Amino acid sequence: MIEGIVADLAELLSKDYGMSVVQALDTLYNSETYTKLTLPATGLFFQGSLYVYSFLKKELTTGIVA
């Protein structure tokens, strides 16, 4: 599940922010959103990619993770 979400998020970052795939994956893997995505207690990995992406975009624009 997580791998599919990661692929979707990398594609969205590439499209929306003009990042290469490597840059997008680096950004994602170093984000607090990714940390939360991988923690079973958050249940975030059960959510859709666009929902998770909304957290990542907020983190990137404000530095705050909900």
Side-chain angles (χ1 to χ4, degrees):
M1 288 177 121
I2 292 174
E3 295 85 8
I5 294 172
V6 165
D8 291 344
L9 296 178
E11 184 178 333
L12 289 164
L13 284 172
S14 293
K15 183 179 132 195
D16 291 350
Y17 292 90
M19 295 180 184
S20 70
V21 173
V22 172
Q23 289 172 317
L25 288 172
D26 186 54
T27 298
L28 176 59
Y29 287 139
N30 289 299
S31 70
E32 187 66 29
T33 301
Y34 180 75
T35 300
K36 289 186 178 213
L37 178 65
T38 60
L39 293 174
T42 66
L44 198 55
F45 59 91
F46 285 122
Q47 303 301 320
S49 298
L50 291 177
Y51 180 76
V52 177
Y53 187 58
S54 70
F55 285 91
L56 183 58
K57 283 192 340 186
K58 183 175 181 183
E59 179 181 355
L60 293 175
T61 57
T62 67
I64 299 170
V65 180

